[in-house]
């Protein structure tokens, strides 16, 4: 059954690659055209800018090599998603979860597709390494490399992941002490840091709010003006609700589809975190690190679903 599912999902991917995802998502926009346009004048990676890095890669490759890259990565992604499945429910759920990555980024030569190579490498390490410490460090290094080249804020993912792995391996007494220290440490962090973290979403969305163009429909600003710890907590909670329960703000099929995906992610992550099998809980912690970080920066539902997928 798993082999049939892998073949079926990969066939769906190839169909979307050939026909174009606009067959299902007429308004879908992606970064591919921007990157292609930049590649005409880009000669080198410029100042850690993700678009410039992708444009540089685009400029030194051709259509055949780019298609070879995304098709290969997509196949291994689909195979990895389904290889652990047991039973029709598990296989069907995993196949369903492959839909959003296929529609949102697997068919395009964009940063998210490149990140997939980093994540697949991390998952191979986390599900095969015997030593948790070295597996976590190696994965954090890979994510940090991606952060330096493409998305700087992904360095936060690496830091949170290491923290979660350490927390998982602590005794209950040590965990209780850490939970007491966190609020004190949060109060000691300068307000400027909280403001900087909160402003990123607003910087992206200020020019998008009020427009009706494709990709801006679900853009939103912070609930409170970015200031200190209090506004940070309020805005973080607001983003959690806005991104994970979109049906409260729009009743379309896209909102429902996103929420179903998020609920499945949550259920799987919860089961993974509680597992005693390191091959299961280590990847779950990596997902949780991404989730906690994305709530800080995601500007709209489309970006959120693409990055959580």
């Amino acid at each position: 059954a798993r082999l049939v599912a892998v073949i079926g999902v990969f066939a769906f991917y190839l169909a979307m690659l050939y026909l174009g995802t606009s067959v299902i998502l007429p308004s879908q926009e992606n970064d591919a055209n921007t990157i292609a346009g930049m590649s005409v004048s880009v000669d080198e990676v410029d100042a850690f800018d993700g678009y410039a890095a992708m444009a540089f890669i685009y400029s030194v490759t051709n259509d055949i090599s780019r298609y070879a890259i995304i098709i290969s990565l997509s196949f291994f992604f689909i195979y990895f998603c389904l290889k652990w499945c047991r039973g029709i429910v598990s296989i069907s759920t995993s196949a369903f979860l492959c839909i959003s990555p296929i529609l949102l980024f697997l068919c395009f030569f964009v940063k998210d597709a490149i990140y997939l190579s980093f994540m697949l490498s991390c998952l191979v390490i986390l599900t095969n390494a015997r030593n948790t410490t070295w597996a976590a460090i190696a994965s954090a290094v890979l994510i940090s490399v991606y952060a330096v080249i493409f998305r700087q804020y992904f360095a936060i993912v690496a830091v949170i992941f290491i923290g979660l792995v350490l927390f998982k391996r602590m005794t209950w007494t040590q965990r209780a002490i850490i939970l007491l220290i966190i609020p004190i440490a949060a109060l000691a962090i300068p307000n400027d840091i909280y403001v900087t973290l909160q402003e990123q979403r607003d910087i992206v969305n200020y020019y998008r709010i009020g427009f009706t163009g494709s990709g801006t429909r679900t853009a939103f600003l912070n609930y409170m003006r970015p200031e200190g710890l209090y506004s940070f907590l309020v805005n973080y909670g607001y983003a959690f609700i806005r991104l994970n329960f979109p049906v409260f703000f729009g009743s379309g099929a896209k909102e429902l589809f996103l929420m179903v995906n998020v609920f499945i992610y949550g259920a799987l992550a919860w089961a993974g975190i509680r597992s005693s099998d390191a091959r299961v809980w280590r990847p779950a912690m990596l997902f949780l690190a991404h989730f906690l970080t994305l709530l800080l920066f995601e500007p709209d539902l489309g970006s959120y679903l693409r990055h959580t997928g």
Side-chain angles (χ1 to χ4, degrees):
R2 280 178 298 171
L3 178 59
V4 173
V6 170
I7 295 173
V9 174
F10 188 62
F12 173 71
Y13 164 72
L14 292 177
M16 291 298 96
L17 186 64
Y18 177 74
L19 297 174
T21 58
S22 60
V23 172
I24 295 178
L25 293 177
S27 62
Q28 173 62 22
E29 293 186 354
N30 59 80
D31 297 336
N33 291 333
T34 301
I35 293 168
M38 290 179 65
S39 69
V40 175
S41 58
V42 170
D43 295 321
E44 59 185 35
V45 179
D46 179 29
F48 305 130
D49 182 273
Y51 281 102
M54 279 303 300
F56 174 72
I57 296 173
Y58 198 102
S59 67
V60 297
T61 57
N62 54 34
D63 288 341
I64 295 176
S65 58
R66 287 191 288 271
Y67 275 116
I69 291 171
I70 62 173
I71 291 174
S72 298
L73 288 174
S74 298
F75 174 79
F76 285 113
F77 169 77
I78 292 168
Y79 172 75
F80 205 99
C81 286
L82 292 162
K83 68 173 292 188
W84 302 100
C85 295
R86 299 289 186 274
I88 189 65
V89 174
S90 177
I91 292 174
S92 299
T93 300
S94 294
F96 172 79
L97 292 178
C98 287
I99 294 176
S100 59
I102 289 173
L103 295 180
L104 295 175
F105 68 86
L106 287 180
C107 291
F108 311 109
F109 193 75
V110 292
K111 288 179 288 186
D112 304 294
I114 298 301
Y115 189 54
L116 186 58
S117 64
F118 287 81
M119 280 297 93
L120 289 174
S121 299
C122 288
L123 291 175
V124 169
I125 294 171
L126 294 173
T127 55
N128 289 280
R130 294 184 179 181
N131 188 294
T132 294
T133 300
W134 289 111
I137 292 174
S139 298
V141 168
L142 283 173
I143 296 170
S144 298
V145 169
Y146 179 83
V148 170
I149 300 174
F150 295 98
R151 284 194 178 99
Q152 294 181 41
Y153 73 82
F154 267 52
I156 299 175
V157 174
V159 173
I160 293 178
F161 173 60
I162 292 295
L164 290 173
V165 170
L166 291 174
F167 188 81
K168 173 72 174 180
R169 304 181 73 185
M170 290 177 179
T171 64
W172 284 105
T173 301
Q174 291 172 327
R175 292 176 184 174
I177 294 173
I178 292 298
L179 291 176
L180 289 173
I181 292 176
I182 288 177
I184 299 174
L187 290 171
I189 295 175
N191 286 341
D192 289 347
I193 294 179
Y194 288 117
V195 172
T196 299
L197 289 174
Q198 294 173 84
E199 283 181 339
Q200 303 310 304
R201 178 184 290 111
D202 287 349
I203 289 173
V204 172
N205 277 342
Y206 268 134
Y207 80 98
R208 303 169 75 198
I209 299 300
F211 292 88
T212 58
S214 175
T216 64
R217 182 174 61 90
T218 58
F220 67 98
L221 299 175
N222 283 310
Y223 187 77
M224 291 185 64
R225 177 183 176 182
E227 292 179 339
L229 176 59
Y230 178 70
S231 66
F232 175 83
L233 294 175
V234 172
N235 288 330
Y236 195 80
Y238 176 67
F240 175 85
I241 296 173
R242 188 79 186 237
L243 293 170
N244 294 293
F245 301 93
V247 294
F248 294 153
F249 305 91
S251 56
K254 293 180 181 179
E255 284 79 7
L256 180 61
F257 177 75
L258 182 147
M259 199 164 77
V260 170
N261 275 267
V262 168
F263 273 42
I264 296 175
Y265 293 149
L268 293 176
W270 177 247
I273 292 168
R274 298 176 62 195
S275 175
S276 59
D277 188 340
R279 297 176 302 171
V280 177
W281 70 257
R282 290 187 300 214
M285 290 299 185
L286 182 56
F287 173 82
L288 182 58
H290 281 82
F291 172 76
L292 294 174
T293 303
L294 293 177
L295 292 179
L296 285 170
F297 302 103
E298 292 302 329
D300 58 67
L301 299 186
S303 296
Y304 181 60
L305 180 58
R306 183 170 72 250
H307 294 151
T308 53

